[in-house]
Amino acid sequence: MTLQTAAANADYGTTASGSSFYAAMRILPRDQRQAMFQIYSFCRQVDDIADSDGPRPERLAALQQWRDDIDALYQGHPPPRLQDYAASVRSFGLKREDFLAIVDGMEMDVPQDIRAPDLATLDLYCDRVASAVGRLSVRVFGLPEGDGIQLAHHLGRALQLTNILRDIDEDAGLGRLYLPRESLLLAGITTDDPNRVIADRALPKVCLPLAERAKKHFEKADEIMKRNSRRAVRAPRIMSKYYRAILDLLLARGFAAPRQPVRVHKMAKIAILLRYAII
C-alpha cells in the first residue's frame, strides 16, 4: 500500500466515522471495508451538494461533474478524486448505473425541493438514494446476485422510509416534505406546505401507514438475510437492527406534535454490535 493510498484510506474512514453505519463497516475485512468507506464517501459528497444552499444551477453542474467523473472511471481514466475506486470496482464488480442512480436521486431535490411526491415518485427516490447504495454494498458483502438485489431493494427502502419519518421536522426546516401525496389526501391534508403539514393534527394518520410499509420491508430483508451466510450479512444486519430500533422508538413516541428527537442509546448500539458482529 502506498502512502497516498494509506492517507486516502484514513480520509474515507474519517468521513464515515460520524455515520450510523460506521460500526457495521468497521467489522469488515480490509478490502471490503475500504470499498464501503469509498461508497459512503461518494454518497456523502453528492448529498452535500444537493443539501447545500448554493445556487441551484451550480449544484446541478456539480452533480453533472460527478456523472462525468463516474463515466471516466469506467472508461479507465478516473479523475483524481476517484483514482482509488478503480480497484474496488474491479474487485467487487461495482456497477456504473448504481453510482449514477445515486447522483440522480440526490438531484431530485435540486431543481426544486421535493414536496409531497406521489407514491411512485417516492419509491423511485428511495430506490435511487438508498437501494442503489445497497446494490453497490451487497456486491462488496459477497451476497449471491438474486438475493443481493432483493436485499438492497427491501433494506434500502426500509432505511430510507425510517429516515423520512425520523427527519420530518428537520426536512420541513429545509422546505422539503417527503410524505406521499396520496397519504396526505387520505388524512384530509390538502396542503403541501411542509410547516403546515407537520403542525396538522392528522399527521399521525399519514406517518403510521408509512411506518407499516417500512416494517414490511424490514421483514422481507430479514427473510433474505436468514437464508444467507451470517458472515455475508453481518454488516447489513447491523444496519437493519439499528434502524429498526429507530423505527420502534418513533412508533413508541408517536407522531403528534410536539415531537422530541429519538436516539438509540449507546448501550443498545453496543448490544446490537456484539450480537451480530461476532461470528
Side-chain angles (χ1 to χ4, degrees):
M1 181 187 300
T2 67
L3 290 176
Q4 183 179 13
T5 303
N9 290 355
D11 288 343
Y12 295 136
T14 300
T15 301
S17 63
S19 164
S20 54
F21 296 151
Y22 182 65
M25 290 188 278
R26 284 292 300 170
I27 67 170
L28 296 169
R30 183 173 63 85
D31 289 350
Q32 290 178 311
R33 182 171 66 245
Q34 170 67 1
M36 288 303 301
F37 283 161
Q38 290 169 346
I39 292 167
Y40 176 82
S41 176
F42 168 78
C43 294
R44 178 68 178 270
Q45 291 180 76
V46 293
D47 187 43
D48 284 349
I49 293 169
D51 283 349
S52 77
D53 55 4
R56 294 182 191 271
E58 290 183 10
R59 285 186 274 163
L60 290 170
L63 291 172
Q64 182 57 48
Q65 185 59 58
W66 271 108
R67 290 191 185 92
D68 294 343
D69 287 354
I70 290 296
D71 284 342
L73 169 65
Y74 280 86
Q75 289 164 7
H77 44 88
R81 64 180 173 181
L82 291 177
Q83 194 78 43
D84 296 327
Y85 286 58
S88 296
V89 167
R90 288 192 303 270
S91 296
F92 300 108
L94 305 182
K95 300 295 186 183
R96 167 181 170 274
E97 56 264 30
D98 293 326
F99 282 110
L100 295 177
I102 294 166
V103 179
D104 290 343
M106 302 303 182
E107 190 179 76
M108 289 174 73
D109 277 312
V110 177
Q112 58 185 15
D113 293 318
I114 291 181
R115 291 191 175 186
D118 59 43
L119 280 166
T121 302
L122 176 62
D123 191 65
L124 176 62
Y125 177 77
C126 291
D127 184 78
R128 287 173 168 175
V129 302
S131 291
V133 182
R135 290 192 289 273
L136 292 171
S137 301
V138 294
R139 294 182 183 279
V140 175
F141 301 149
L143 269 79
E145 178 79 9
D147 275 357
I149 297 300
Q150 284 300 304
L151 179 58
H153 174 94
H154 290 294
L155 187 55
R157 283 160 169 80
L159 302 187
Q160 190 60 32
L161 291 175
T162 301
N163 274 336
I164 288 170
L165 291 167
R166 181 192 62 191
D167 297 339
I168 290 171
D169 297 295
E170 181 181 341
D171 289 334
L174 298 172
R176 296 173 180 172
L177 178 68
Y178 296 96
L179 301 177
R181 183 183 311 156
E182 294 91 335
S183 299
L184 291 169
L185 293 174
L186 196 60
I189 301 176
T190 56
T191 181
D192 67 356
D193 180 282
N195 290 311
R196 290 176 62 189
V197 170
I198 65 172
D200 199 294
R201 294 176 65 181
L203 184 65
K205 296 180 181 179
V206 180
C207 295
L208 289 173
L210 208 61
E212 285 301 313
R213 183 184 292 256
K215 285 172 66 175
K216 289 179 181 177
H217 283 302
F218 276 120
E219 290 165 4
K220 289 289 188 181
D222 284 343
E223 290 175 11
I224 296 165
M225 288 189 283
K226 283 178 183 176
R227 63 176 181 251
N228 282 277
S229 74
R230 289 190 63 187
R231 182 169 296 277
V233 300
R234 282 188 305 167
R237 196 184 292 278
I238 290 168
M239 297 175 194
S240 175
K241 295 303 179 183
Y242 176 70
Y243 266 79
R244 182 57 194 265
I246 293 175
L247 183 62
D248 289 343
L249 289 170
L250 290 169
L251 288 167
R253 181 204 65 186
F255 294 97
R259 290 171 291 275
Q260 294 298 317
V262 303
R263 291 182 179 84
V264 179
H265 292 304
K266 184 176 181 179
M267 290 308 298
K269 293 181 183 179
I270 292 172
I272 290 170
L273 190 62
L274 290 176
R275 180 172 181 183
Y276 297 105
I278 300 172
I279 301 299

